[in-house]
Amino acid sequence: MMQHIFRKGTNSEKPVLLLLHGTGGTEQDLLSLAEIVDPEASVLSVRGNVLENGMPRFFKRLAEGVFDEEDLVFRTKELKAFLEQAATDHQFDASNIVAIGYSNGANIAASLLFHYDDAVKGAILHHPMVPIRNVPMPDLAGIHVWIGAGANDPICTQEESTELQKRLEEAGASVGLHWENAGHQLTMSEVKAAKAWYEQYFK
Ligand code: MLT
């Protein structure tokens, strides 16, 4: 089980927005983003199960930007199982989920994409990294992904953002890569760009 908030939307045909916070965040953090991206959609906002010095995360890391891959795989599987359980408990369609993640939350969303062809049908990744290398990728045909990256992001470099796009595209996903003239922070102009992309595919 994962601590979470579920809010039923006004339009059940809309995707369920899966919100995944950054390091030190909670399931409250991205609720306002969902409100901007699609106010009619249901929302499933989850708190990461790992604590790093009291800060919630979605998987362990050995150092900044160096992930504990064994834990990453375990936590990715745990989140996938939670999504299936949540779909039953809250009566939504598990094949109709679009993830919105920031930083560590974007990394676990990317890891869902690196491990499963049916976890999410789309993803908005704000400042993600390549979650893991040297794993066989699932077939991501038909899955739409948007990456928001900062040209001066010290945590997610330009090379890494481009590498993530390439790896997802090679697996068959359609990927939009958007650059902000900013660092690791999430800006309103990036959120608006994500919304414009979302409306192309999920309206
Ligand atoms: C991570 O650990 O997932 C990345 O370094 C981003 C973050 O600081 O959360």
Side-chain angles (χ1 to χ4, degrees):
M1 195 25 88
M2 299 183 77
Q3 193 163 330
H4 66 282
I5 294 169
F6 180 76
R7 281 191 189 164
K8 196 169 165 43
T10 54
N11 184 344
S12 59
E13 286 177 10
K14 291 299 187 76
V16 174
L17 301 178
L18 168 65
L19 306 181
L20 302 162
H21 61 79
T23 299
T26 72
E27 67 279 18
Q28 302 285 341
D29 287 19
L30 303 186
L31 292 173
S32 58
L33 283 195
E35 195 54 42
I36 294 168
V37 171
D38 192 342
E40 296 181 346
S42 294
V43 171
L44 177 66
S45 190
V46 185
R47 184 186 297 199
N49 261 347
V50 166
L51 282 179
E52 181 187 272
N53 301 320
M55 297 186 296
R57 287 177 52 85
F58 288 94
F59 55 89
K60 290 182 195 160
R61 61 180 162 184
L62 306 171
E64 172 139 333
V66 185
F67 302 154
D68 178 334
E69 292 194 350
E70 200 180 300
D71 190 62
L72 174 70
V73 171
F74 174 79
R75 297 293 171 189
T76 304
K77 207 170 170 184
E78 180 184 54
L79 178 58
K80 173 76 161 78
F82 170 73
L83 294 178
E84 284 161 17
Q85 186 60 49
T88 307
D89 293 348
H90 299 294
Q91 297 178 325
F92 65 82
D93 177 0
S95 67
N96 196 22
I97 298 173
V98 172
I100 303 180
Y102 169 63
S103 192
N104 183 246
N107 292 339
I108 193 81
S111 184
L112 282 174
L113 291 164
F114 272 51
H115 290 96
Y116 301 103
D117 62 8
D118 63 348
V120 296
K121 69 173 190 180
I124 293 174
L125 307 176
H126 294 290
H127 304 259
M129 297 167 66
V130 176
I132 192 165
R133 292 181 174 84
N134 306 315
V135 291
M137 297 287 287
D139 179 1
L140 299 179
I143 296 182
H144 301 286
V145 182
W146 185 90
I147 298 171
N152 308 305
D153 189 333
I155 298 171
C156 316
T157 62
Q158 294 199 15
E159 294 71 31
E160 186 142 356
S161 304
T162 311
E163 181 189 343
L164 179 61
Q165 177 186 34
K166 186 163 165 276
R167 285 176 182 265
L168 291 167
E169 281 176 348
E170 280 170 2
S174 87
V175 187
L177 176 54
H178 170 88
W179 292 100
E180 287 285 317
N181 199 5
H184 194 60
Q185 76 274 25
L186 182 48
T187 62
M188 189 47 75
S189 87
E190 183 172 321
V191 174
K192 288 193 170 148
K195 176 183 171 68
W197 172 87
Y198 172 93
E199 285 177 347
Q200 269 180 273
Y201 294 102
F202 301 111
K203 270 284 159 183

Short mmCIF file of all heavy atoms in Angstrom, two decimals, residues 66-118:
data_model
loop_
_atom_site.label_atom_id
_atom_site.label_comp_id
_atom_site.label_asym_id
_atom_site.label_seq_id
_atom_site.Cartn_x
_atom_site.Cartn_y
_atom_site.Cartn_z
N VAL A 66 22.93 9.12 -8.32
CA VAL A 66 23.40 7.73 -8.41
C VAL A 66 22.35 6.85 -7.72
O VAL A 66 22.21 6.87 -6.50
CB VAL A 66 24.78 7.53 -7.74
CG1 VAL A 66 25.26 6.10 -7.96
CG2 VAL A 66 25.78 8.54 -8.26
N PHE A 67 21.63 6.09 -8.52
CA PHE A 67 20.48 5.38 -7.99
C PHE A 67 20.83 3.99 -7.49
O PHE A 67 21.72 3.33 -8.03
CB PHE A 67 19.38 5.28 -9.06
CG PHE A 67 18.92 6.62 -9.57
CD1 PHE A 67 18.39 6.76 -10.83
CD2 PHE A 67 19.04 7.76 -8.78
CE1 PHE A 67 17.97 8.00 -11.30
CE2 PHE A 67 18.62 9.00 -9.22
CZ PHE A 67 18.08 9.12 -10.50
N ASP A 68 20.10 3.54 -6.47
CA ASP A 68 20.18 2.16 -5.98
C ASP A 68 19.27 1.35 -6.91
O ASP A 68 18.05 1.33 -6.75
CB ASP A 68 19.70 2.12 -4.53
CG ASP A 68 19.70 0.72 -3.94
OD1 ASP A 68 19.58 -0.27 -4.71
OD2 ASP A 68 19.79 0.61 -2.71
N GLU A 69 19.86 0.70 -7.90
CA GLU A 69 19.06 0.09 -8.98
C GLU A 69 18.20 -1.06 -8.48
O GLU A 69 17.10 -1.27 -8.97
CB GLU A 69 19.96 -0.36 -10.13
CG GLU A 69 20.56 0.85 -10.82
CD GLU A 69 21.20 0.54 -12.16
OE1 GLU A 69 21.35 -0.65 -12.50
OE2 GLU A 69 21.54 1.51 -12.86
N GLU A 70 18.72 -1.79 -7.50
CA GLU A 70 17.92 -2.90 -6.96
C GLU A 70 16.65 -2.34 -6.31
O GLU A 70 15.55 -2.85 -6.52
CB GLU A 70 18.76 -3.65 -5.92
CG GLU A 70 18.28 -5.04 -5.64
CD GLU A 70 19.16 -5.72 -4.60
OE1 GLU A 70 20.37 -5.88 -4.85
OE2 GLU A 70 18.63 -6.07 -3.54
N ASP A 71 16.81 -1.28 -5.54
CA ASP A 71 15.64 -0.67 -4.91
C ASP A 71 14.73 -0.03 -5.96
O ASP A 71 13.50 -0.11 -5.86
CB ASP A 71 16.08 0.37 -3.87
CG ASP A 71 14.89 0.83 -3.02
OD1 ASP A 71 14.30 -0.03 -2.32
OD2 ASP A 71 14.52 2.02 -3.08
N LEU A 72 15.34 0.60 -6.97
CA LEU A 72 14.54 1.22 -8.05
C LEU A 72 13.62 0.18 -8.70
O LEU A 72 12.43 0.43 -8.89
CB LEU A 72 15.46 1.85 -9.10
CG LEU A 72 14.75 2.39 -10.34
CD1 LEU A 72 13.93 3.63 -10.02
CD2 LEU A 72 15.75 2.70 -11.45
N VAL A 73 14.17 -0.98 -9.02
CA VAL A 73 13.37 -2.02 -9.67
C VAL A 73 12.27 -2.51 -8.72
O VAL A 73 11.11 -2.64 -9.11
CB VAL A 73 14.28 -3.20 -10.12
CG1 VAL A 73 13.45 -4.38 -10.60
CG2 VAL A 73 15.24 -2.73 -11.22
N PHE A 74 12.64 -2.71 -7.45
CA PHE A 74 11.66 -3.16 -6.45
C PHE A 74 10.53 -2.15 -6.28
O PHE A 74 9.34 -2.49 -6.27
CB PHE A 74 12.38 -3.41 -5.11
CG PHE A 74 11.46 -3.73 -3.98
CD1 PHE A 74 10.93 -5.01 -3.84
CD2 PHE A 74 11.09 -2.76 -3.06
CE1 PHE A 74 10.06 -5.31 -2.80
CE2 PHE A 74 10.21 -3.06 -2.02
CZ PHE A 74 9.70 -4.33 -1.89
N ARG A 75 10.90 -0.86 -6.18
CA ARG A 75 9.90 0.19 -5.94
C ARG A 75 9.04 0.43 -7.19
O ARG A 75 7.87 0.81 -7.08
CB ARG A 75 10.59 1.50 -5.53
CG ARG A 75 11.36 1.40 -4.23
CD ARG A 75 10.45 1.21 -3.05
NE ARG A 75 11.18 0.91 -1.82
CZ ARG A 75 10.61 0.52 -0.70
NH1 ARG A 75 9.29 0.39 -0.63
NH2 ARG A 75 11.32 0.25 0.36
N THR A 76 9.61 0.22 -8.36
CA THR A 76 8.85 0.37 -9.60
C THR A 76 7.76 -0.70 -9.66
O THR A 76 6.61 -0.44 -10.01
CB THR A 76 9.80 0.27 -10.82
OG1 THR A 76 10.83 1.25 -10.68
CG2 THR A 76 9.06 0.52 -12.12
N LYS A 77 8.15 -1.91 -9.27
CA LYS A 77 7.21 -3.03 -9.23
C LYS A 77 6.12 -2.79 -8.18
O LYS A 77 4.93 -3.04 -8.41
CB LYS A 77 8.00 -4.29 -8.84
CG LYS A 77 7.44 -5.57 -9.32
CD LYS A 77 8.46 -6.67 -9.06
CE LYS A 77 7.81 -8.01 -9.31
NZ LYS A 77 8.72 -9.11 -8.99
N GLU A 78 6.54 -2.26 -7.04
CA GLU A 78 5.59 -1.94 -5.96
C GLU A 78 4.58 -0.89 -6.43
O GLU A 78 3.37 -1.00 -6.17
CB GLU A 78 6.40 -1.42 -4.76
CG GLU A 78 5.57 -1.03 -3.55
CD GLU A 78 6.44 -0.43 -2.45
OE1 GLU A 78 7.20 0.54 -2.70
OE2 GLU A 78 6.37 -0.93 -1.33
N LEU A 79 5.06 0.14 -7.14
CA LEU A 79 4.16 1.19 -7.62
C LEU A 79 3.20 0.62 -8.67
O LEU A 79 2.01 0.93 -8.65
CB LEU A 79 4.98 2.36 -8.20
CG LEU A 79 4.18 3.52 -8.80
CD1 LEU A 79 3.21 4.14 -7.78
CD2 LEU A 79 5.13 4.60 -9.34
N LYS A 80 3.71 -0.23 -9.56
CA LYS A 80 2.86 -0.85 -10.59
C LYS A 80 1.74 -1.66 -9.93
O LYS A 80 0.57 -1.55 -10.32
CB LYS A 80 3.73 -1.76 -11.48
CG LYS A 80 2.96 -2.59 -12.50
CD LYS A 80 2.49 -1.75 -13.67
CE LYS A 80 2.14 -2.57 -14.91
NZ LYS A 80 0.84 -3.22 -14.85
N ALA A 81 2.09 -2.44 -8.91
CA ALA A 81 1.08 -3.24 -8.20
C ALA A 81 0.09 -2.33 -7.49
O ALA A 81 -1.13 -2.58 -7.47
CB ALA A 81 1.76 -4.18 -7.20
N PHE A 82 0.60 -1.23 -6.93
CA PHE A 82 -0.29 -0.28 -6.25
C PHE A 82 -1.29 0.32 -7.24
O PHE A 82 -2.47 0.48 -6.92
CB PHE A 82 0.52 0.84 -5.56
CG PHE A 82 -0.37 1.94 -5.07
CD1 PHE A 82 -1.19 1.77 -3.96
CD2 PHE A 82 -0.43 3.14 -5.76
CE1 PHE A 82 -2.05 2.77 -3.54
CE2 PHE A 82 -1.30 4.15 -5.35
CZ PHE A 82 -2.10 3.97 -4.24
N LEU A 83 -0.83 0.63 -8.45
CA LEU A 83 -1.73 1.23 -9.45
C LEU A 83 -2.89 0.28 -9.77
O LEU A 83 -4.04 0.69 -9.90
CB LEU A 83 -0.96 1.59 -10.73
CG LEU A 83 0.10 2.68 -10.59
CD1 LEU A 83 0.83 2.89 -11.91
CD2 LEU A 83 -0.53 3.99 -10.12
N GLU A 84 -2.55 -1.01 -9.88
CA GLU A 84 -3.59 -1.99 -10.18
C GLU A 84 -4.59 -2.09 -9.02
O GLU A 84 -5.80 -2.13 -9.22
CB GLU A 84 -2.95 -3.34 -10.50
CG GLU A 84 -2.34 -3.31 -11.90
CD GLU A 84 -1.30 -4.40 -12.15
OE1 GLU A 84 -1.25 -5.38 -11.39
OE2 GLU A 84 -0.54 -4.24 -13.12
N GLN A 85 -4.06 -2.10 -7.80
CA GLN A 85 -4.92 -2.15 -6.61
C GLN A 85 -5.80 -0.90 -6.51
O GLN A 85 -7.00 -0.97 -6.23
CB GLN A 85 -4.05 -2.30 -5.36
CG GLN A 85 -4.82 -2.52 -4.07
CD GLN A 85 -5.67 -3.79 -4.13
OE1 GLN A 85 -5.18 -4.85 -4.50
NE2 GLN A 85 -6.94 -3.67 -3.78
N ALA A 86 -5.18 0.26 -6.76
CA ALA A 86 -5.91 1.53 -6.66
C ALA A 86 -7.03 1.59 -7.70
O ALA A 86 -8.11 2.12 -7.43
CB ALA A 86 -4.94 2.70 -6.84
N ALA A 87 -6.78 1.02 -8.89
CA ALA A 87 -7.80 1.02 -9.94
C ALA A 87 -9.02 0.23 -9.49
O ALA A 87 -10.17 0.62 -9.74
CB ALA A 87 -7.22 0.45 -11.23
N THR A 88 -8.77 -0.89 -8.80
CA THR A 88 -9.88 -1.68 -8.26
C THR A 88 -10.58 -0.93 -7.13
O THR A 88 -11.80 -0.78 -7.13
CB THR A 88 -9.35 -3.04 -7.72
OG1 THR A 88 -8.59 -3.65 -8.76
CG2 THR A 88 -10.47 -3.95 -7.29
N ASP A 89 -9.78 -0.44 -6.19
CA ASP A 89 -10.36 0.23 -5.01
C ASP A 89 -11.16 1.48 -5.38
O ASP A 89 -12.19 1.75 -4.79
CB ASP A 89 -9.26 0.63 -4.03
CG ASP A 89 -8.56 -0.58 -3.40
OD1 ASP A 89 -9.08 -1.69 -3.55
OD2 ASP A 89 -7.49 -0.38 -2.78
N HIS A 90 -10.63 2.25 -6.32
CA HIS A 90 -11.27 3.54 -6.64
C HIS A 90 -12.04 3.48 -7.96
O HIS A 90 -12.51 4.50 -8.46
CB HIS A 90 -10.21 4.65 -6.71
CG HIS A 90 -9.48 4.85 -5.41
ND1 HIS A 90 -10.09 5.32 -4.27
CD2 HIS A 90 -8.18 4.64 -5.06
CE1 HIS A 90 -9.20 5.39 -3.29
NE2 HIS A 90 -8.03 4.97 -3.74
N GLN A 91 -12.12 2.29 -8.52
CA GLN A 91 -12.94 2.05 -9.71
C GLN A 91 -12.60 2.95 -10.89
O GLN A 91 -13.44 3.69 -11.39
CB GLN A 91 -14.42 2.16 -9.35
CG GLN A 91 -14.79 1.09 -8.33
CD GLN A 91 -16.23 1.19 -7.90
OE1 GLN A 91 -16.77 2.28 -7.80
NE2 GLN A 91 -16.84 0.06 -7.65
N PHE A 92 -11.33 2.90 -11.27
CA PHE A 92 -10.96 3.56 -12.52
C PHE A 92 -10.26 2.54 -13.42
O PHE A 92 -9.92 1.43 -12.98
CB PHE A 92 -10.12 4.82 -12.28
CG PHE A 92 -8.76 4.59 -11.66
CD1 PHE A 92 -7.67 4.21 -12.44
CD2 PHE A 92 -8.56 4.78 -10.30
CE1 PHE A 92 -6.42 4.02 -11.88
CE2 PHE A 92 -7.30 4.58 -9.72
CZ PHE A 92 -6.24 4.20 -10.51
N ASP A 93 -10.06 2.94 -14.68
CA ASP A 93 -9.49 2.05 -15.69
C ASP A 93 -7.95 2.13 -15.61
O ASP A 93 -7.38 3.18 -15.90
CB ASP A 93 -10.02 2.51 -17.05
CG ASP A 93 -9.44 1.73 -18.20
OD1 ASP A 93 -8.63 0.81 -17.97
OD2 ASP A 93 -9.81 2.04 -19.35
N ALA A 94 -7.32 1.03 -15.21
CA ALA A 94 -5.86 1.02 -15.05
C ALA A 94 -5.12 1.25 -16.36
O ALA A 94 -3.93 1.57 -16.36
CB ALA A 94 -5.41 -0.31 -14.42
N SER A 95 -5.82 1.12 -17.49
CA SER A 95 -5.15 1.36 -18.77
C SER A 95 -5.32 2.81 -19.23
O SER A 95 -4.99 3.15 -20.37
CB SER A 95 -5.68 0.39 -19.83
OG SER A 95 -7.02 0.70 -20.11
N ASN A 96 -5.83 3.65 -18.34
CA ASN A 96 -6.09 5.05 -18.71
C ASN A 96 -5.36 6.04 -17.81
O ASN A 96 -5.92 7.06 -17.41
CB ASN A 96 -7.62 5.29 -18.67
CG ASN A 96 -8.02 6.54 -19.40
OD1 ASN A 96 -7.31 7.03 -20.27
ND2 ASN A 96 -9.17 7.09 -19.03
N ILE A 97 -4.11 5.71 -17.47
CA ILE A 97 -3.35 6.55 -16.54
C ILE A 97 -2.30 7.37 -17.29
O ILE A 97 -1.57 6.85 -18.14
CB ILE A 97 -2.62 5.66 -15.49
CG1 ILE A 97 -3.65 4.87 -14.66
CG2 ILE A 97 -1.73 6.51 -14.58
CD1 ILE A 97 -3.02 3.85 -13.70
N VAL A 98 -2.25 8.65 -16.97
CA VAL A 98 -1.17 9.53 -17.45
C VAL A 98 -0.41 10.03 -16.23
O VAL A 98 -1.00 10.63 -15.32
CB VAL A 98 -1.71 10.72 -18.28
CG1 VAL A 98 -0.60 11.72 -18.60
CG2 VAL A 98 -2.36 10.22 -19.57
N ALA A 99 0.89 9.78 -16.18
CA ALA A 99 1.70 10.20 -15.03
C ALA A 99 2.16 11.65 -15.21
O ALA A 99 2.43 12.10 -16.33
CB ALA A 99 2.92 9.30 -14.91
N ILE A 100 2.21 12.36 -14.10
CA ILE A 100 2.87 13.67 -14.06
C ILE A 100 3.86 13.60 -12.91
O ILE A 100 3.46 13.46 -11.74
CB ILE A 100 1.88 14.83 -13.82
CG1 ILE A 100 0.78 14.86 -14.87
CG2 ILE A 100 2.63 16.17 -13.78
CD1 ILE A 100 -0.24 16.00 -14.69
N GLY A 101 5.15 13.66 -13.21
CA GLY A 101 6.15 13.56 -12.16
C GLY A 101 7.16 14.68 -12.24
O GLY A 101 7.44 15.20 -13.33
N TYR A 102 7.68 15.05 -11.08
CA TYR A 102 8.74 16.05 -11.02
C TYR A 102 9.98 15.45 -10.36
O TYR A 102 9.86 14.83 -9.29
CB TYR A 102 8.27 17.29 -10.24
CG TYR A 102 9.41 18.24 -9.91
CD1 TYR A 102 10.13 18.86 -10.93
CD2 TYR A 102 9.77 18.49 -8.59
CE1 TYR A 102 11.19 19.70 -10.63
CE2 TYR A 102 10.82 19.34 -8.29
CZ TYR A 102 11.54 19.95 -9.32
OH TYR A 102 12.59 20.77 -9.01
N SER A 103 11.12 15.56 -10.99
CA SER A 103 12.40 15.18 -10.41
C SER A 103 12.38 13.71 -9.98
O SER A 103 12.21 12.85 -10.84
CB SER A 103 12.72 16.15 -9.25
OG SER A 103 14.04 16.02 -8.82
N ASN A 104 12.50 13.40 -8.71
CA ASN A 104 12.48 11.98 -8.31
C ASN A 104 11.19 11.30 -8.76
O ASN A 104 11.20 10.12 -9.17
CB ASN A 104 12.66 11.88 -6.78
CG ASN A 104 12.71 10.45 -6.30
OD1 ASN A 104 11.82 10.00 -5.59
ND2 ASN A 104 13.72 9.69 -6.73
N GLY A 105 10.08 12.03 -8.75
CA GLY A 105 8.80 11.48 -9.22
C GLY A 105 8.81 11.24 -10.73
O GLY A 105 8.22 10.27 -11.22
N ALA A 106 9.49 12.11 -11.48
CA ALA A 106 9.64 11.90 -12.92
C ALA A 106 10.51 10.68 -13.18
O ALA A 106 10.29 9.93 -14.13
CB ALA A 106 10.24 13.14 -13.58
N ASN A 107 11.49 10.46 -12.30
CA ASN A 107 12.39 9.32 -12.48
C ASN A 107 11.68 7.99 -12.24
O ASN A 107 11.92 7.02 -12.97
CB ASN A 107 13.61 9.46 -11.56
CG ASN A 107 14.49 10.61 -11.98
OD1 ASN A 107 14.43 11.05 -13.13
ND2 ASN A 107 15.29 11.12 -11.06
N ILE A 108 10.78 7.93 -11.25
CA ILE A 108 10.05 6.67 -11.04
C ILE A 108 9.03 6.49 -12.18
O ILE A 108 8.80 5.37 -12.63
CB ILE A 108 9.39 6.58 -9.64
CG1 ILE A 108 8.93 5.16 -9.33
CG2 ILE A 108 8.21 7.51 -9.48
CD1 ILE A 108 9.97 4.23 -8.84
N ALA A 109 8.47 7.59 -12.68
CA ALA A 109 7.55 7.48 -13.84
C ALA A 109 8.32 6.96 -15.05
O ALA A 109 7.85 6.07 -15.78
CB ALA A 109 6.91 8.83 -14.14
N ALA A 110 9.53 7.49 -15.26
CA ALA A 110 10.36 7.00 -16.37
C ALA A 110 10.69 5.53 -16.16
O ALA A 110 10.69 4.73 -17.10
CB ALA A 110 11.64 7.83 -16.48
N SER A 111 10.92 5.14 -14.91
CA SER A 111 11.22 3.73 -14.63
C SER A 111 10.01 2.84 -14.93
O SER A 111 10.18 1.71 -15.43
CB SER A 111 11.68 3.58 -13.17
OG SER A 111 12.05 2.24 -12.93
N LEU A 112 8.80 3.33 -14.66
CA LEU A 112 7.60 2.56 -15.06
C LEU A 112 7.65 2.30 -16.57
O LEU A 112 7.39 1.19 -17.03
CB LEU A 112 6.32 3.33 -14.72
CG LEU A 112 5.82 3.34 -13.28
CD1 LEU A 112 4.62 4.28 -13.15
CD2 LEU A 112 5.44 1.94 -12.79
N LEU A 113 8.02 3.35 -17.34
CA LEU A 113 8.09 3.20 -18.80
C LEU A 113 9.21 2.26 -19.23
O LEU A 113 9.09 1.56 -20.24
CB LEU A 113 8.31 4.57 -19.46
CG LEU A 113 7.14 5.55 -19.38
CD1 LEU A 113 7.59 6.97 -19.70
CD2 LEU A 113 6.02 5.13 -20.33
N PHE A 114 10.30 2.24 -18.46
CA PHE A 114 11.44 1.37 -18.82
C PHE A 114 11.16 -0.10 -18.50
O PHE A 114 11.89 -0.97 -18.95
CB PHE A 114 12.71 1.83 -18.09
CG PHE A 114 13.50 2.88 -18.83
CD1 PHE A 114 12.89 4.03 -19.30
CD2 PHE A 114 14.86 2.72 -19.06
CE1 PHE A 114 13.61 5.01 -19.97
CE2 PHE A 114 15.59 3.68 -19.74
CZ PHE A 114 14.97 4.83 -20.19
N HIS A 115 10.13 -0.36 -17.68
CA HIS A 115 9.86 -1.73 -17.26
C HIS A 115 8.53 -2.32 -17.75
O HIS A 115 8.40 -3.54 -17.80
CB HIS A 115 9.91 -1.85 -15.73
CG HIS A 115 11.30 -1.70 -15.18
ND1 HIS A 115 11.79 -0.51 -14.70
CD2 HIS A 115 12.30 -2.59 -15.06
CE1 HIS A 115 13.04 -0.68 -14.29
NE2 HIS A 115 13.37 -1.93 -14.51
N TYR A 116 7.57 -1.46 -18.04
CA TYR A 116 6.22 -1.98 -18.36
C TYR A 116 5.64 -1.28 -19.59
O TYR A 116 5.75 -0.06 -19.72
CB TYR A 116 5.27 -1.75 -17.18
CG TYR A 116 5.73 -2.41 -15.91
CD1 TYR A 116 6.31 -1.67 -14.89
CD2 TYR A 116 5.63 -3.80 -15.75
CE1 TYR A 116 6.76 -2.28 -13.73
CE2 TYR A 116 6.08 -4.41 -14.59
CZ TYR A 116 6.64 -3.64 -13.58
OH TYR A 116 7.09 -4.25 -12.44
N ASP A 117 4.98 -2.06 -20.44
CA ASP A 117 4.33 -1.44 -21.61
C ASP A 117 2.91 -0.98 -21.28
O ASP A 117 2.28 -0.31 -22.10
CB ASP A 117 4.33 -2.41 -22.81
CG ASP A 117 3.55 -3.70 -22.53
OD1 ASP A 117 2.89 -3.80 -21.48
OD2 ASP A 117 3.62 -4.61 -23.38
N ASP A 118 2.40 -1.33 -20.09
CA ASP A 118 1.00 -1.04 -19.79
C ASP A 118 0.79 -0.34 -18.45
O ASP A 118 -0.30 -0.38 -17.89
CB ASP A 118 0.19 -2.35 -19.81
CG ASP A 118 0.66 -3.32 -18.73
OD1 ASP A 118 1.73 -3.09 -18.12
OD2 ASP A 118 -0.05 -4.32 -18.48
#
